[in-house]
Amino acid sequence: MNVAYKKAAVAVILLAAALGACSRISGLISEAPDTESKTVERTAVQETGAVPEQVSSPRKEFIFIEKNEVESMKLRLAEQDAALLPGFQYLMKEADKALGLTPPSVMDKTGIAPTGDKHDYWSLSPHSWPDPAMPGGMPYKEIPDAVNSQSMSGDYDKAALSKMTEAVNTLALAYYYTGDERYAHQASLFLKTWFLHPETRMNPNLNFGQTFPGRNGGGNIIDAALLIHLPDSLLMLEGSPSWTQQNDEGVREWMRQFSEWMMSSEVGRKGKSAANNHSTWFDVEYITFLLATGQNQAAFHHLQDHSMRLIDLQIDSEGRMPNELNGPKAFHHSLYNLKAFSLLAAAAEHVGVDLWHYQGSRGQSLNAAYSYMAEYLLGKPWPYTGSRDELKSEVMSGMIAAGSIYDTAAVRSAAELLRDKAGFKLPIYGVRGS
């Protein structure tokens, strides 16, 4: 674990189905940032040829959850710590709701992917709209600043995927804190329905994720971001009679097959080579699934060979992310990309790769990008499209995490501002990087 990362950086996960996201995350930093100045050069990492111990000897461990923090909070909850009780009560309220839900599957959708196989995931791009100038509206066209509510309808799979991941993450955490088998049993039903049962399992691909009907070819890999916290939830279910080793191995095998699909498919290769946040999210997803399946050596080399290059290519010396500035929501997408980078940097720590302090040959770095965006969060007029008015909690977390990493006044002030704006500041879910 990189010593520069402050392990006591704690985040709250607020599940929000209305946002169509796996989680809404806010944070509470309980220690001051590490003030040690540090720069990591890619060439220095590569030339040593050293392979960190955690690469050569992979072990099953939390990826985004800080184990020491949740263990500490579990003890504090047992002692009825008043500071944690409101957040715990919120969590349990959501978990009790999840107990009454029916586990969804890809078989529930009323539509079907172009393959004719309902086991294939199918979703509609949120910016995909019928073209009134074309017969039957086909092919659909993109309207970047408008969200089509049909993308979260029962015709497609994204709403069901979101429901599944929200429920599992909530139930697993409730089981971890309480030991109440009801929560583990319900989480296991959701997981087995989505990943394991032959009648209902999703095929391990996103060939038709975020599609545009009538267009040839598939969509993109962004929807897989909803899956990234599941490996940590699997660990929280360990020890439950409802969640067997065979179950655990089955879901991890699905993740292994999905990681292979990401590198071999046209959709996956397109995501990896994208010039914007799609490639950052590709790396978050890919590294997560590699770590979850013990492929630490592959993760180590991908982070060095590809993820560091993303910082070189996507961030300029002033900290701008030029490829996020061209659309109608440049402010939102810049923070959305930084959220992905913070998750990627947190995951990279597991194999001894420090993306937090990496610096490219022209000064490109995550620190520069966070510092650039911090000025605008603090009130400097934003010169591109979008504004702070459209700031949503699911993109705040990257800056909040950066506040625990960098000894930069603007970043620390922006992180504090966003913690206040997020409002729900109780440390129930110890999440690193998000």
Side-chain angles (χ1 to χ4, degrees):
M1 191 74 63
N2 191 302
V3 296
Y5 187 79
K6 304 307 292 183
K7 290 185 177 182
V10 180
V12 178
I13 191 167
L14 298 181
L15 304 165
L19 293 174
C22 173
S23 59
R24 187 172 71 182
I25 302 168
S26 62
L28 178 62
I29 306 305
S30 57
E31 288 188 13
D34 191 324
T35 57
E36 178 186 0
S37 177
K38 180 178 180 181
T39 298
V40 177
E41 297 289 348
R42 183 207 322 219
T43 52
V45 174
Q46 291 177 335
E47 285 175 0
T48 63
V51 177
E53 180 182 355
Q54 58 265 54
V55 176
S56 57
S57 302
R59 57 191 179 276
K60 195 184 297 183
E61 61 183 2
F62 289 120
I63 299 173
F64 298 112
I65 289 175
E66 180 53 59
K67 182 180 179 180
N68 292 339
E69 288 298 327
V70 290
E71 287 180 347
S72 172
M73 285 183 272
K74 188 174 183 178
L75 293 174
R76 290 168 61 190
L77 285 169
E79 298 170 354
Q80 298 290 302
D81 189 322
L84 298 182
L85 288 179
F88 177 69
Q89 290 164 356
Y90 175 88
L91 168 70
M92 299 312 298
K93 180 180 178 181
E94 294 301 306
D96 287 341
K97 288 180 184 177
L99 287 176
L101 299 177
T102 299
S105 82
V106 288
M107 307 304 287
D108 295 340
K109 59 180 174 290
T110 57
I112 193 166
T115 57
D117 184 351
K118 274 211 168 187
H119 293 274
D120 283 331
Y121 181 91
W122 191 30
S123 71
L124 181 74
S125 168
H127 306 297
S128 178
W129 292 85
D131 187 343
M134 303 298 291
M138 299 279 196
Y140 275 35
K141 65 178 182 179
E142 182 175 11
I143 305 180
D145 57 347
V147 174
N148 187 343
S149 61
Q150 188 185 12
S151 63
M152 294 298 288
S153 74
D155 294 339
Y156 300 95
D157 286 315
K158 185 177 180 180
L161 177 63
S162 180
K163 177 182 177 181
M164 182 274 294
T165 55
E166 289 170 8
V168 170
N169 293 335
T170 302
L171 291 162
L173 188 59
Y175 171 71
Y176 176 82
Y177 282 135
T178 68
D180 190 329
E181 188 61 25
R182 293 178 303 153
Y183 301 118
H185 177 72
Q186 181 74 337
S188 72
L189 292 179
F190 274 80
L191 288 164
K192 287 185 279 192
T193 299
W194 195 273
F195 295 106
L196 300 180
H197 291 329
E199 301 85 2
T200 57
R201 74 188 295 269
M202 172 186 162
N203 290 334
N205 70 72
L206 278 185
N207 287 321
F208 302 100
Q210 296 206 4
T211 58
F212 287 79
R215 291 189 186 181
N216 293 327
N220 64 52
I221 47 80
I222 292 296
D223 287 357
L226 292 168
L227 299 170
I228 64 171
H229 290 291
L230 289 184
D232 287 347
S233 292
L234 297 184
L235 281 182
M236 288 194 160
L237 293 173
E238 280 194 343
S240 165
S242 299
W243 190 246
T244 66
Q245 182 177 346
Q246 183 178 7
N247 296 151
D248 187 82
E249 290 173 352
V251 174
R252 292 180 190 277
E253 172 60 19
W254 189 98
M255 292 176 177
R256 186 194 65 76
Q257 293 177 20
F258 190 87
S259 70
E260 289 185 349
W261 170 84
M262 292 185 74
M263 293 298 281
S264 63
S265 67
E266 179 182 351
V267 173
R269 289 192 295 268
K270 182 174 71 173
K272 179 185 176 185
S273 62
N276 62 1
N277 66 78
H278 285 207
S279 58
T280 317
W281 281 107
F282 175 96
D283 274 20
V284 173
E285 296 159 12
Y286 185 58
I287 294 301
T288 297
F289 297 136
L290 290 180
L291 294 175
T293 54
Q295 300 180 77
N296 288 24
Q297 186 166 353
F300 176 76
H301 291 297
H302 184 90
L303 286 160
Q304 287 197 26
D305 297 340
H306 189 261
S307 301
M308 285 183 173
R309 191 167 72 248
L310 294 184
I311 296 174
D312 294 342
L313 297 176
Q314 291 195 35
I315 301 171
D316 67 18
S317 59
E318 297 180 16
R320 293 175 301 185
M321 292 166 280
N323 294 323
E324 305 300 335
L325 302 178
N326 299 322
K329 294 183 178 181
F331 191 85
H332 168 87
H333 282 113
S334 293
L335 287 176
Y336 186 59
N337 199 26
L338 282 182
K339 175 183 177 178
F341 270 121
S342 71
L343 288 162
L344 184 59
E349 294 177 25
H350 289 281
V351 289
V353 176
D354 185 359
L355 296 182
W356 295 113
H357 299 96
Y358 168 74
Q359 183 169 303
S361 60
R362 299 190 305 279
Q364 313 99 306
S365 69
L366 295 185
N367 191 4
Y370 288 118
S371 298
Y372 178 81
M373 290 302 299
E375 297 288 345
Y376 297 103
L377 284 165
L378 294 172
K380 184 177 179 179
W382 178 247
Y384 304 100
T385 58
S387 71
R388 286 175 296 162
D389 295 337
E390 65 185 25
L391 184 64
K392 295 182 179 180
S393 57
E394 71 265 28
V395 299
M396 297 179 186
S397 53
M399 186 64 69
I400 292 173
S404 70
I405 303 296
Y406 304 115
D407 187 28
T408 305
V411 173
R412 295 172 65 182
S413 296
E416 183 64 31
L417 172 70
L418 294 186
R419 284 197 296 274
D420 291 342
K421 187 177 181 65
F424 205 92
K425 297 168 54 177
L426 299 169
I428 290 298
Y429 203 118
V431 179
R432 302 183 302 111
S434 57

